Structures are given as C-alpha cells and as structure tokens.
Amino acid sequence: MKTSELAKRAGVTADTVRYYTRLDLISASRDPVNNYKDYDSQALQRLRFIHQAREIGFSLKEVQSILALANDGDTPCPTVRQLLQEKIQQTEQRLLKTQQQLAMLQDTYKQWQCHPDKLPTEQSICALIESWSAKEEHDE
C-alpha cells in the first residue's frame, strides 16, 4: 500500500502516516520501480493500534513503549493497565479541580450580580476582580 492508501484504510491522514513512519512506529519498504514507500498489512495493523491507543488517551511516547515491549516479545498488557490506572487517577484529579473551579466561578458570578458597575479610576481597573482578589487575601 502506498502512503495515501494506508492512510485511507486506517482512517488517518497521509501526514499522520509519514509522521509515524519518521518516529519508527510503522515501517515501509521501498518499491524498486518508483522508490515510493510501500506499507504492508502489519503497518495497517500497527497504525490502527496506534490510533486506538491515542483515542484511549495514550501519548505517542507511551505507545512507543507499548510497541517496544511487544516487539521484544513481552506482553505489554501489565504496562497498559498501569498506565491506564494512572490516567484514571490523573483524570479524576483534573475533574475534581475543574468542578471546584466551576463552583467558584458560579459563586463569584452570583455574588457579582448584586455589585454595581463602576468606571475605572486611577486606583481601580475593575472593582469586581479587585474586590474578589481582596476577599481571597482576607480569607487566607
């Protein structure tokens, strides 16, 4: 398969195929007639695998590690489970932080609804933000 055909069959762009080839995630032989890259069914399988792993949330560096284990004949499954468990924990932490930020934003918005609009002065740019900052300093 040529680059464009492989890309089409895998549902990615030709640039993605070229990039993964440069990273040695997939490999191609050279067509002796025209010197074009020629990919086999293993390249398609690996490209689909990479795409699936990326969809789950694995980085290219992590995918490289997973493929290296497989290339060495080792099972990458324990590593994949560990990486996924770490991703779950990281995502839970980001979600908690995002929920806390949303609650703070909603609370601040409600508080600001009853504050009058004020024009900027030499001492103040936006009284809403400045009063919030001052409030945060007093809370600490």
Side-chain angles (χ1 to χ4, degrees), residues 30-59:
R30 289 285 180 175
D31 186 322
V33 175
N34 56 22
N35 205 31
Y36 288 165
K37 290 180 182 173
D38 192 29
Y39 295 92
D40 59 14
S41 59
Q42 184 183 15
L44 178 59
Q45 177 193 16
R46 288 174 71 95
L47 189 56
R48 286 179 174 157
F49 173 83
I50 295 165
H51 185 69
Q52 286 175 305
R54 299 286 290 143
E55 286 289 313
I56 292 170
F58 291 103
S59 69

Side-chain angles (χ1 to χ4, degrees), residues 97-109:
K97 187 175 180 175
T98 300
Q99 289 171 331
Q100 291 169 342
Q101 183 180 18
L102 177 60
M104 181 274 303
L105 292 171
Q106 290 170 329
D107 184 52
T108 301
Y109 184 77

Side-chain angles (χ1 to χ4, degrees), residues 1-112:
M1 284 173 274
K2 303 296 179 245
T3 301
S4 59
E5 182 182 350
L6 176 64
K8 185 176 181 179
R9 290 180 69 181
V12 299
T13 66
D15 285 339
T16 299
V17 172
R18 290 183 195 100
Y19 181 62
Y20 291 171
T21 302
R22 281 194 304 273
L23 294 178
D24 288 327
L25 293 171
I26 58 175
S27 59
S29 59
R30 289 285 180 175
D31 186 322
V33 175
N34 56 22
N35 205 31
Y36 288 165
K37 290 180 182 173
D38 192 29
Y39 295 92
D40 59 14
S41 59
Q42 184 183 15
L44 178 59
Q45 177 193 16
R46 288 174 71 95
L47 189 56
R48 286 179 174 157
F49 173 83
I50 295 165
H51 185 69
Q52 286 175 305
R54 299 286 290 143
E55 286 289 313
I56 292 170
F58 291 103
S59 69
L60 284 179
K61 185 176 180 181
E62 291 167 333
V63 171
Q64 286 173 318
S65 298
I66 294 164
L67 289 172
L69 288 169
N71 290 342
D72 291 343
D74 294 327
T75 177
C77 293
T79 300
V80 167
R81 281 188 196 94
Q82 179 62 36
L83 290 170
L84 192 59
Q85 184 179 23
E86 291 169 10
K87 288 186 178 310
I88 290 169
Q89 292 170 347
Q90 292 166 357
T91 301
E92 287 172 340
Q93 290 171 354
R94 283 193 314 268
L95 182 58
L96 179 60
K97 187 175 180 175
T98 300
Q99 289 171 331
Q100 291 169 342
Q101 183 180 18
L102 177 60
M104 181 274 303
L105 292 171
Q106 290 170 329
D107 184 52
T108 301
Y109 184 77
K110 286 177 189 173
Q111 291 175 15
W112 286 356

Side-chain angles (χ1 to χ4, degrees), residues 111-123:
Q111 291 175 15
W112 286 356
Q113 290 294 50
C114 40
H115 284 76
D117 295 342
K118 295 183 179 179
L119 294 173
T121 67
E122 289 182 16
Q123 293 79 30

